[in-house]
Amino acid sequence: MKTRIKSNIVFYNTLAIITGMFCGIIAVGFRYLISGFQYLFFNELGSFLDFCYPYYIIIIPAIGGILVGLLTHYFAKETKGHGVPEVMTAVTLHGGKIRPIVAGVKAIASAICIGSGGSAGKEGPIIQIGSTVGSTIAQKLKLTPYQTKVLVTCGAAGGIAAIFNTPIAGVLFALELILREVKLKSLTPIIISAVFATITAKVLLNYLGVEATYIFFLPQYTLKTPLEIIFYLLLGLVAGVVAIIFTKSLYGIEDIFEKIKAPEFVKPAIGGLFVGIIGLILFLSSGNPYVFGIGFETMDMLFGGQIVFAVIFALIFLKIIATSLTLGSGGSGGVFTPALFIGSMTGGAFGTVIHKIFPTITATYEGYAIVGMAAVFAGGSNAILTAIVLVFEMTGNYMIILPVMLACVISTSFYKFYMEDTIYTVKLRHRGIIIEQEMDVNQMKTITVQDIMNTEVETVNEYLSLKKLSEKIIKTGHMAFPVVRAGNYLVGIVTHSDFDKIGENEHETLRVKDVMTTELFTAQPDERIEDVLIKTENEELSHFPVVNPNKPQEIVGFFTKGDIIRAYTKKRAN
């Protein structure tokens, strides 16, 4: 038994290595894909449209928008937006299953969107792409739902680690927002994936002549005096307000676009057109369309003292609007980097004012910009640990860690006081899905199995051929069936996974009894959902037969993990 467990661990960690290496390769490729489209749109197409310079700045994001709209609408609608909610849904409701096509469509659509001037980040796409890699490997090897979810999380961690050169933040993001648990059996492969993703990306970039190091080269900022901590506390409050504005703006504009009566694939072009107008106004007034693309270059200019206060302050709100237009209209990209951009401008503007008023007891605005970067992201995502570590890994600036910690906690607390959902879960609530950091078992104290079970149970006979079972799966769309003998006598359960393990040439000869699972967890109608959750905490179960308490082999109902989540969602909503 110990030998088998050890071999399983080695096998599973090997898959984490493979996932991480794929993520590293894809992250580097995605980086160059964005650059390629940026060159194509602003150099090649820009030269063609030179006769209307600089007004073609309006047109290019709209052209990118229509291309993104066509891609997402006709090939993979789940690649619209920032991607993280779709990964969270897959992990929570679908056992980590993501369609393989998502990786390719997301990569191309996001690269076009960002490359043509769309205001979005590359982390959301790489999270969805990396998660799809992990999910595809797990599905090909027919891993269990729990193993699939962990490998999906490995992909998310590896993607962030490789794209930003931030392995610790990648692990924390994946744990805080995707898997939402910390267990040794899941933590180990996730760390392994992040490490190998980072190493692979560094090796490739070095081979291409690019040094993989900190994203921002900054001096070591620290507290000038102990009194300065008060101003960082105030910055935390301001960052919380900005995070709320960003979240409300993003989904408010998305609601507006949903009401617009136009083909879905046209809407990203409309959003791109308005983003182009913002970019043109900025270009005509200051010589730079600051809100286009990811924004790291603009943040570098901020830290280098190359942007005046009026523009810094304006960019807080213009970047919020531009990102909301890009993603709310159906563009493809992330909100992670825009949140960092908005936070850096918030901190920069705040720090400029504070230093002007209190020059002897405060540092210059750059330190506040670093803290603001972490605080706005922490507020909007509620991922405090990720935000703290991310800023340290991106800047190498540990001396300012105390203000970062305080501002992130204050920002998140203020945000949570006013908002039920993070910037990643608002979309899920709109779909009727409520995801908490942990499922609160106390919410289930008053709900029994009888309240959620389906009494009209689709069963199969143990002697049914696999060919007939295949037809039944296709016809009903169900992923599992209780297996019975005469008189509703429960003898096992057969799942889609059990069926997938068998070759098509054996469908005629094998019966359900040859592939079904006989070691069952059964529930009784009067049991509380709380007790079911506690009993199955360490089990990888998604389907639950319900039996007669007086006749333990007589099936009277059936429910799934999805039914439990829906009951939890309904309870929370009430």
Side-chain angles (χ1 to χ4, degrees):
M1 176 65 77
K2 286 184 179 179
T3 303
R4 193 175 76 180
I5 291 172
K6 287 179 181 177
S7 65
N8 285 342
I9 292 172
V10 171
F11 173 70
Y12 202 34
N13 289 342
T14 301
L15 293 182
I17 292 172
I18 294 168
T19 302
M21 292 178 72
F22 268 116
C23 288
I25 295 167
I26 290 168
V28 173
F30 185 53
R31 175 175 173 167
Y32 280 93
L33 190 63
I34 293 172
S35 298
F37 277 115
Q38 199 167 27
Y39 180 84
L40 185 66
F41 280 109
F42 286 97
N43 289 73
E44 297 294 332
L45 184 58
S47 296
F48 179 74
L49 297 173
D50 195 52
F51 63 90
C52 59
Y53 176 85
Y55 298 98
Y56 67 68
I57 286 175
I58 296 176
I59 302 169
I60 289 177
I63 294 172
I66 194 72
L67 293 174
V68 171
L70 290 168
L71 269 172
T72 58
H73 183 73
Y74 288 105
F75 293 99
K77 291 182 180 179
E78 61 267 50
T79 57
K80 289 197 302 183
H82 46 104
V84 176
E86 284 67 32
V87 175
M88 295 171 79
T89 301
V91 168
T92 305
L93 297 181
H94 307 306
K97 289 188 176 181
I98 304 172
R99 294 195 299 154
I101 194 175
V102 167
V105 176
K106 187 70 176 180
I108 297 170
S110 297
I112 291 173
C113 183
I114 297 168
S116 63
S119 178
K122 56 186 175 182
E123 81 301 322
I126 203 65
I127 289 166
Q128 195 170 15
I129 295 163
S131 297
T132 304
V133 169
S135 179
T136 301
I137 292 171
Q139 289 179 70
K140 292 293 183 184
L141 296 174
K142 297 181 171 38
L143 300 185
T144 65
Y146 182 79
Q147 290 171 329
T148 302
K149 288 189 283 188
V150 172
L151 217 55
V152 165
T153 312
C154 286
I160 292 182
I163 205 78
F164 287 146
N165 190 28
T166 54
I168 303 174
V171 170
L172 290 173
F173 182 94
L175 291 173
E176 284 192 285
L177 292 172
I178 306 298
L179 193 61
R180 301 183 309 285
E181 70 166 38
V182 180
K183 295 180 181 177
L184 185 61
K185 66 179 181 179
S186 57
L187 181 61
T188 302
I190 292 168
I191 290 175
I192 289 171
S193 178
V195 168
F196 276 86
T198 307
I199 291 171
T200 303
K202 280 187 173 184
V203 169
L204 280 175
L205 288 172
N206 286 338
Y207 177 76
L208 295 167
V210 179
E211 186 181 2
T213 182
Y214 300 125
I215 291 177
F216 302 110
F217 291 94
L218 301 170
Q220 291 290 311
Y221 295 100
T222 186
L223 287 172
K224 189 169 183 179
T225 65
L227 286 174
E228 195 176 9
I229 198 71
I230 297 170
F231 300 118
Y232 284 109
L233 187 152
L234 292 174
L235 176 57
L237 290 173
V238 172
V241 172
V242 171
I244 291 169
I245 293 170
F246 185 26
T247 303
K248 286 184 172 292
S249 171
L250 178 63
Y251 292 102
I253 288 179
E254 186 176 272
D255 290 341
I256 291 170
F257 272 97
E258 284 182 0
K259 293 172 184 175
I260 293 175
K261 293 181 179 179
E264 289 299 312
F265 59 84
V266 173
K267 292 180 182 180
I270 299 172
L273 187 68
F274 282 107
V275 171
I277 292 170
I278 294 171
L280 179 64
I281 292 169
L282 283 167
F283 183 83
L284 293 175
S285 60
S286 59
N288 192 312
Y290 293 107
V291 296
F292 282 4
I294 296 166
F296 282 158
E297 296 86 354
T298 303
M299 293 166 73
D300 270 329
M301 292 172 68
L302 170 72
F303 291 122
Q306 299 169 12
I307 307 179
V308 298
F309 174 79
V311 175
I312 294 172
F313 184 78
L315 284 177
I316 299 170
F317 304 100
L318 292 178
K319 188 67 173 180
I320 287 174
I321 296 168
T323 305
S324 301
L325 286 166
T326 299
L327 300 178
S329 65
S332 185
V335 295
F336 192 137
T337 312
L340 298 178
F341 181 107
I342 294 159
S344 67
M345 298 300 156
T346 301
F350 181 89
T352 299
V353 173
I354 292 298
H355 185 64
K356 193 170 185 63
I357 299 172
F358 305 101
T360 58
I361 61 171
T362 61
T364 53
Y365 75 83
E366 292 89 348
Y368 289 89
I370 295 171
V371 174
M373 189 164 60
V376 170
F377 172 70
S381 66
N382 289 187
I384 297 174
L385 292 176
T386 301
I388 293 168
V389 174
L390 179 78
V391 167
F392 167 62
E393 287 192 295
M394 291 178 80
T395 65
N397 201 320
Y398 185 76
M399 299 298 292
I400 205 166
I401 196 71
L402 295 179
V404 168
M405 291 170 68
L406 179 65
C408 286
V409 168
I410 297 299
S411 174
T412 304
S413 299
F414 187 83
Y415 183 98
K416 290 177 76 172
F417 184 79
Y418 284 98
M419 297 286 287
E420 282 186 294
D421 295 288
T422 72
I423 199 165
Y424 293 117
T425 60
V426 171
K427 183 180 284 189
L428 301 182
R429 183 180 289 274
H430 288 174
R431 298 172 184 166
I433 305 166
I434 300 175
I435 295 181
E436 302 290 335
Q437 288 302 100
E438 292 180 17
M439 182 176 280
D440 184 0
V441 176
N442 291 329
Q443 294 289 335
M444 300 299 179
K445 284 186 180 294
T446 60
I447 303 175
T448 65
V449 168
Q450 190 167 3
D451 294 327
I452 68 168
M453 72 181 191
N454 186 354
T455 55
E456 296 180 4
V457 187
E458 286 267 6
T459 62
V460 296
N461 186 275
E462 62 181 324
Y463 292 103
L464 187 73
S465 72
L466 293 191
K467 183 179 179 182
K468 292 291 185 183
L469 176 64
S470 174
E471 294 171 0
K472 195 173 183 72
I473 289 172
I474 294 169
K475 181 180 177 181
T476 63
H478 295 333
M479 302 298 286
F481 298 92
V483 184
V484 297
R485 291 177 187 161
N488 268 358
Y489 187 84
L490 182 68
V491 293
I493 188 168
V494 62
T495 68
H496 192 278
S497 298
D498 297 326
F499 174 78
D500 280 347
K501 293 174 184 175
I502 306 302
E504 194 171 339
N505 59 329
E506 298 181 280
H507 286 184
E508 290 283 2
T509 56
L510 292 180
R511 307 290 171 183
V512 167
K513 68 182 181 65
D514 298 316
V515 299
M516 70 183 187
T517 301
T518 55
E519 294 181 8
L520 298 175
F521 173 87
T522 59
Q524 296 182 0
D526 59 350
E527 276 191 279
R528 295 182 303 177
I529 295 299
E530 175 192 33
D531 297 327
V532 173
L533 290 172
I534 292 170
K535 285 180 186 177
T536 60
E537 181 181 5
N538 296 317
E539 303 293 333
E540 296 166 357
L541 300 173
S542 299
H543 305 85
F544 306 88
V546 184
V547 296
N548 186 334
N550 301 317
K551 298 178 182 178
Q553 292 299 123
E554 181 186 342
I555 186 167
V556 295
F558 193 68
F559 67 98
T560 68
K561 190 168 284 186
D563 294 321
I564 294 176
I565 292 171
R566 280 186 285 275
Y568 174 74
T569 301
K570 186 176 180 181
K571 183 72 175 176
R572 289 282 297 176
N574 293 334

